Amino acid sequence: MTAEIERKYLVVNDSWRDHASKGAAFCQGYLLARKNRFVRVRIIDNAHAVLTVKLRTGRLRREEFEYEIPYADALEMIAYATSVVDKTRYEVNHCGCLWEVDVYSGVHDGLVVAEIELADESDQPPCPPWLGPEVTGNAAFSNRTLAMFARRSEYGSRIMLKLQPAGQLPRRWEQ
């Protein structure tokens, strides 16, 4: 188990891109989503996958359990997800701090959010000039809430075709 302590901000311009890593495409589906806990399957770059369980234990703190899972299993789980969100994640180092910048696509095209993981809830990292308002704790900007606007039914076979190697579909989608 790992404790996750993070703060989240809106991004107000593209100047972060000058210092960003190559992006990783994330498709994440929520199998269980409650106010203080969720189970998520995440497919990364259409190549590998992780299953994550998060339990909120404080305003900024969550206990996190994350496991690599077989890609084929992740595809099948995505088919059962109640909601799904697509984004590309970039890493940006600013003054020795690692920021993760998520650029959303689909129904959230244009939304860009930056997160930073902290060692302690009282940490005050140096904020880059491209950060806008803090949205930590604002449910409207949680991935879980954003995914609710893009329910799996809107994705249907489009997601499966995008993520699936040619000619292979999970058992649930073969019917």
Side-chain angles (χ1 to χ4, degrees):
M1 171 186 66
T2 303
E4 176 188 70
I5 301 169
E6 69 180 16
R7 295 178 70 182
K8 187 181 287 196
Y9 299 81
L10 294 179
V11 173
V12 294
N13 65 52
D14 282 344
S15 63
W16 61 271
R17 289 186 182 274
D18 295 337
H19 308 285
S21 67
K22 179 181 177 226
F26 287 11
C27 174
Q28 55 191 53
Y30 290 84
L31 304 171
L32 171 70
R34 301 285 187 263
K35 181 179 179 182
N36 294 321
R37 62 193 66 218
F38 66 81
V39 178
R40 169 188 78 204
V41 61
R42 178 183 278 170
I43 295 174
I44 305 164
D45 286 335
N46 295 342
H48 64 280
V50 293
L51 183 68
T52 305
V53 176
K54 289 191 182 187
L55 308 166
R56 182 175 300 279
T57 57
R59 180 177 165 269
L60 302 177
R61 183 184 176 103
R62 292 186 203 117
E63 305 307 317
E64 180 179 80
F65 304 83
E66 190 165 80
Y67 309 95
E68 292 275 336
I69 61 171
Y71 186 74
D73 289 357
L75 288 173
E76 196 158 343
M77 287 181 197
I78 285 280
Y80 287 101
T82 58
S83 55
V84 179
V85 69
D86 288 315
K87 62 185 179 180
T88 302
R89 173 164 288 171
Y90 301 86
E91 292 182 346
V92 180
N93 191 311
H94 176 75
C95 296
C97 296
L98 184 64
W99 291 84
E100 295 176 335
V101 178
D102 290 341
V103 177
Y104 291 84
S105 55
V107 298
H108 305 297
D109 193 32
L111 176 62
V112 182
V113 176
E115 299 176 352
I116 187 163
E117 291 201 19
L118 307 170
D120 187 83
E121 289 186 34
S122 64
D123 288 351
Q124 295 293 321
C127 292
W130 37 265
L131 283 187
E134 183 171 6
V135 294
T136 303
N138 183 334
F141 294 99
S142 76
N143 284 301
R144 178 179 50 87
T145 300
L146 294 171
M148 296 298 285
F149 287 102
R151 296 201 179 273
R152 195 198 65 73
S153 61
E154 296 173 18
Y155 282 69
S157 59
R158 181 178 70 79
I159 265 195
M160 299 320 304
L161 292 174
K162 180 176 87 169
L163 300 174
Q164 189 66 42
Q168 298 177 357
L169 288 176
R171 289 184 301 274
R172 181 166 186 243
W173 287 81
E174 291 173 350
Q175 302 168 0

